[in-house]
Amino acid sequence: MLRKIAEIKVPKGAGPREAKTNPIFATYDRQGAAFAFFFSDSNIAGAAANLLFMVDGQKVFVDDGVTLGETNETHTFTYPLPDKLLNYTGKVDGYLYFDFEDGSHSDEIHFVFTIKKSQIDEEMEDAPDVYIKSFEDVKERVEQAGDSATKDIEKAKDDAESQIGEYVGEVESAKDTAVEDIDKALPEVEDKLDEVAGKISELDISDTNLLKGTSEEWEKFSLRAWADQESRIPIQDFGLEAGETITYSTEFDNSIDTNKTGLNVRIDFMKKRSDTQDIAGTLRGNFIGLGKKGISSGTEKIPEGTKFLRIFKVSRDANDGEKTAKYRKRKLQRGKYATDWKPNPSEIVTQDQYDKLANAIINLGGSI
């Protein structure tokens, strides 16, 4: 449902082509934000629209051949704001162009809008410090508590509430300590702001794990197959596009068997889903050799023409029979630096959600 619609009046004739409004959207306005362009003439029927969006002078998104919908009596066209743009924050410059059926073109208008960080997204960025259990872990505990409920329910409730109270106290104490440490470090940080400002653009780090279902526990696999890979996944499923830099990393244990096989991570950039020979490029990580444990990490810029990512859970440099190894903590992220593993944001549970499930355990007569 489009709940936030910014209206822009497009001037007629050869006057200034600048919109006077500066609407504000939020990063949480997904599938709910749109522009409504009003035209004072009706000579635009059948035109195809092209939209260009730029942040800090850099192109971030282009939408070609957009059908803005049928005109009504006010010659108004509605364009839903792509969710991908809501990954940015700050000022965004937008440009609207028309291609007409007779081959002519028109630069219609330049408009400016702002995307601000939603508070709920701010909380999600800090979530790893307070997220404690996956939904599956808590669900399993609820089921076990229901099966093992005893007559002494009140005692179990008191024990559980006491444990939860201790945990909340520990969290509050840790939070207070963190605030004190930040206050102490703040003067030194402020002194270095000028030095850091010139280098920020060189850092290209995103801590979000784009992969789902990446277990933090060790998983054992056989090296008999040439490689262990997932299905070819469209890059838009990750919100990626050609030209972006990505980093892929995995922790390996190659000391289980006395094999001669080196392990590493790998991604093939596929132009087509079905043709394994039509590869635009490959990301490869460093090898973890025989008897070694370590992290294999590789960074690569997504080549032009890439449509699918063929993601290998593990790749290796030779076929050495039925040997085994282990891996864990797979992480695919934007940028050119590998950061510590964390699950996909959709696969973690907040403190508030944990408290609700903890109460459910207590009500069933169990304890945590």
Side-chain angles (χ1 to χ4, degrees), residues 63-84:
D63 211 350
D64 296 325
V66 177
T67 301
L68 294 180
E70 296 297 329
T71 182
N72 53 28
E73 62 273 9
T74 63
H75 315 309
T76 301
F77 293 84
T78 301
Y79 175 71
L81 190 66
D83 287 349
K84 184 172 183 178

Side-chain angles (χ1 to χ4, degrees), residues 132-133 135 138-139 141-142 160 164 167-168 349-364 368:
I132 54 179
K133 289 184 174 65
F135 278 113
V138 179
K139 178 182 176 183
R141 288 179 177 269
V142 172
I164 292 175
Y167 173 78
V168 172
V349 58
T350 65
Q351 178 65 46
D352 180 63
Q353 292 166 328
Y354 169 72
D355 288 342
K356 292 179 180 178
L357 290 170
N359 289 333
I361 294 174
I362 295 170
N363 292 334
L364 288 171
I368 298 177

